[in-house]
């Protein structure tokens, strides 16, 4: 999926969408001091967390949200829009503070559990499904609320419909912690889960290290494509997919045999 960059024209002058929305929101607040971000998001027809992050420059809007804004503002204000395809994706990069807080595996497991058909918005039910203690499940829910990863809809917590990603190509202790936990979870699944409920495979090959950047990009595309496929149908369980690509050989010596 690609994100779309959106700008609008006002009196023949091109105005960035973010600036236009910030000014529009400020104008509405002047007329009505009680007018909130949530009310503005409802007016535009998009998720309030997505809108807040966008206005703060923390993320871009996806194509669906842009089309809703286009329909609303074109009708109400007469603004004309130019939509250009951008290279970014519909995944939001976690800020460093939130990344450190949400590095434990169960945060994203809870978000995925909220998308299952039989989800019960209760920390005791969540603890039972994921094998967590009651205090950890309760604190995790509170943390997800503070980080804006969940919102309340009709009196129950639901995911904020944001797809998070971590930093790419940067050594980060929080990311390392998350991957180490994933390896431990995989080991436990290999030992405890029946073959019908898991799939492990590996391949060993000789490669040209110069091809690694493109290999990383292909793995990312594959992961996201498979995720979209698996999220269809009757969602009843939460899975974690990990893909590892790492060297078995030491770096080739430059000139001569190793000592």
């Amino acid at each position: 999926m690609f994100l779309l960059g959106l700008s609008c024209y006002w009196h023949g002058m091109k105005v960035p969408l973010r600036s236009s929305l910030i000014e529009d929101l400020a104008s509405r607040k002047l007329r009505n001091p009680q007018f909130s971000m949530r009310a503005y998001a409802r007016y535009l027809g998009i998720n309030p967390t997505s809108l807040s992050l966008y206005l703060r420059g923390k993320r871009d809007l996806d194509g669906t949200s842009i089309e809703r804004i286009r329909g609303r503002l074109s009708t109400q204000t007469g603004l004309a829009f130019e939509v250009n395809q951008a290279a970014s994706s519909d995944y939001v990069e976690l800020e460093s503070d939130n990344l450190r807080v949400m590095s434990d595996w169960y945060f994203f497991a809870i978000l995925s559990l909220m998308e299952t058909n039989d989800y019960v918005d209760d920390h005791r039910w969540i603890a039972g499904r994921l094998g967590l203690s009651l205090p950890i499940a309760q604190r995790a829910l509170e943390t997800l609320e503070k980080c804006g990863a969940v919102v309340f809809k009709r009196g129950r917590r639901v995911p904020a419909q944001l797809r998070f990603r971590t930093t790419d190509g940067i050594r980060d202790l929080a990311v390392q912690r998350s991957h180490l936990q994933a390896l431990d979870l995989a080991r436990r699944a290999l030992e405890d889960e029946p073959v019908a409920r898991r799939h492990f495979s590996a391949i060993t090959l000789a490669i040209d290290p110069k091809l690694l950047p493109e290999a990383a990009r292909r793995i990312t595309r594959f992961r996201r494509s498979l995720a979209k496929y698996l999220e269809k149908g009757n969602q009843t369980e939460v899975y974690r997919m990990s893909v590892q690509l790492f060297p078995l050989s030491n770096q080739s010596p430059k000139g001569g045999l190793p000592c």
Side-chain angles (χ1 to χ4, degrees):
M1 181 183 296
F2 292 94
L3 287 183
L4 300 176
L6 178 62
S7 299
C8 62
Y9 288 91
W10 182 249
H11 296 305
M13 182 175 62
K14 189 175 182 180
V15 180
L17 175 66
R18 183 177 285 111
S19 299
S20 178
L21 291 179
I22 290 174
E23 291 177 6
D24 186 40
L25 177 59
S27 176
R28 292 172 186 274
K29 282 182 171 291
L30 283 176
R31 295 194 300 268
N32 178 10
Q34 303 302 316
F35 193 77
S36 64
M37 179 75 70
R38 184 173 297 276
Y40 193 45
R42 186 164 54 247
Y43 164 77
L44 294 173
I46 65 175
N47 180 274
T49 302
S50 299
L51 177 62
S52 175
L53 290 171
Y54 176 70
L55 295 184
R56 287 185 286 143
K58 300 297 185 181
R59 67 159 294 178
D60 287 325
L61 292 173
D62 58 39
T64 300
S65 297
I66 286 174
E67 289 305 315
R68 288 177 180 169
I69 293 174
R70 176 209 288 271
R72 171 65 68 176
L73 295 186
S74 294
T75 301
Q76 299 296 324
T77 67
L79 292 176
F81 297 96
E82 177 187 61
V83 181
N84 297 311
Q85 197 174 58
S88 57
S89 72
D90 56 344
Y91 284 73
V92 182
E93 184 171 304
L94 272 172
E95 298 178 28
S96 58
D97 290 343
N98 287 347
L99 176 58
R100 285 191 290 271
V101 170
M102 293 174 59
S103 61
D104 287 306
W105 66 269
Y106 48 79
F107 286 104
F108 292 101
I110 291 173
L111 290 175
S112 295
L113 197 62
M114 289 178 176
E115 297 180 339
T116 57
N117 296 338
D118 61 344
Y119 170 68
V120 178
D121 188 22
D122 182 86
H123 74 283
R124 291 164 295 189
W125 184 87
I126 292 172
R129 287 299 306 271
L130 297 179
L132 303 173
S133 69
L134 294 180
I136 286 179
Q138 181 64 49
R139 287 198 299 270
L141 286 174
E142 294 170 355
T143 299
L144 289 170
E145 290 178 33
K146 292 177 182 178
C147 292
V150 298
V151 295
F152 280 88
K153 185 177 293 185
R154 297 189 179 93
R156 58 178 284 173
R157 299 178 191 88
V158 297
Q161 300 305 315
L162 304 177
R163 293 179 179 271
F164 293 103
R165 64 179 177 85
T166 60
T167 53
D168 294 327
I170 300 175
R171 193 179 184 92
D172 190 291
L173 292 179
V175 176
Q176 286 184 344
R177 171 186 169 86
S178 178
H179 287 311
L180 287 171
Q181 289 183 354
L183 291 173
D184 187 54
L185 291 169
R187 179 189 59 78
R188 286 162 46 189
L190 187 61
E191 295 173 347
D192 301 337
E193 294 291 346
V195 174
R197 284 178 51 87
R198 60 173 171 80
H199 178 83
F200 282 71
S201 61
I203 185 172
T204 304
L205 63 164
I207 72 164
D208 180 352
K210 293 179 182 177
L211 300 179
L212 282 174
E214 175 59 24
R217 287 189 288 269
R218 292 190 180 202
I219 289 172
T220 298
R221 290 197 296 268
F222 162 73
R223 284 191 294 105
R224 293 178 179 178
S225 174
L226 185 58
K228 289 182 179 179
Y229 170 75
L230 290 173
E231 288 175 339
K232 300 176 182 177
N234 187 28
Q235 296 172 286
T236 60
E237 303 295 334
V238 174
Y239 270 62
R240 174 150 184 167
M241 179 181 67
S242 298
V243 180
Q244 293 92 31
L245 178 65
F246 54 89
L248 296 177
S249 56
N250 294 324
Q251 193 169 7
S252 298
K254 296 181 179 178
L257 296 174
C259 298

